[in-house]
Amino acid sequence: MTTTNVLTLVGSLRSGSTNAQLAQTAASLAPAGVEVTIYEGLADVPFYNEDIDVEGSVPAAAAKLREAANAADSFLLVSPEHNGTMPSVLKNAIDWLSRPYGAGAVAGKPAAVIGTAFGQFGGVWAHDDARKSLTIAGAKVVEDAKLSVANSVVRFAEVHPSDDAEVAGQVAEVMTTLAAASAN
């Protein structure tokens, strides 16, 4: 049995992030044959600038991100919503992974976007923007693998997402759908 490698990028950098917890839940509920790596180090990646994206002198943090993405079979982005869109750290990662244009590390690979936010829609706008950016970057966004969990501050105040049966079931479905898309 071959292993499917899913690289997970979390758009929240704060400790105690419910989105980081959601990523952990996804990793723990991945189906057999799926290995999930939650990427550490997005905060270290400099803002994308074509002047520094030069072969042989790409900043180390960006090169490390690209290396991890090149080794991945698919991607799971886990995002809160910042001012109605995805956090800049996540958009920056997509920018780095989209280059070189048409042949970036996400090109042709399945990707899914999930997340949780304080508001009543759970970050839908941010997730839609992330899917749009991934599509433009060349990823094959898996439209059937999505989840936006509302009211995160209240819902997860005393419960880890993995202990919320409804959310855990939905995350497991997303991971199964993403794994199936990765196998094709």
Side-chain angles (χ1 to χ4, degrees), residues 1-2 30 37 83 86 92 100 103 114 131 148 161 166 169 183:
M1 176 180 213
T2 61
T37 300
N83 298 312
M86 74 180 110
N92 188 49
I114 65 172
R131 281 188 282 277
S148 299
E166 179 185 15

Side-chain angles (χ1 to χ4, degrees), residues 40-62:
E40 301 291 335
L42 285 185
D44 300 326
V45 179
F47 283 113
Y48 185 80
N49 176 341
E50 197 171 358
D51 291 342
I52 63 172
D53 189 8
V54 178
E55 190 173 332
S57 63
V58 171

Side-chain angles (χ1 to χ4, degrees), residues 23-42:
Q24 295 163 355
T25 301
S28 70
L29 296 174
V34 174
E35 182 178 313
V36 176
T37 300
I38 300 172
Y39 189 80
E40 301 291 335
L42 285 185

Side-chain angles (χ1 to χ4, degrees), residues 136-163:
I136 292 168
K140 295 188 311 187
V141 173
V142 182
E143 289 296 335
D144 292 338
K146 58 173 83 170
L147 174 62
S148 299
V149 183
N151 302 313
S152 61
V153 174
V154 174
R155 184 161 194 162
F156 302 124
E158 296 180 21
V159 176
H160 191 282
S162 62
D163 296 325

Side-chain angles (χ1 to χ4, degrees), residues 164-175:
D164 181 313
E166 179 185 15
V167 170
Q170 292 168 330
V171 169
E173 286 178 33
V174 164
M175 295 308 294

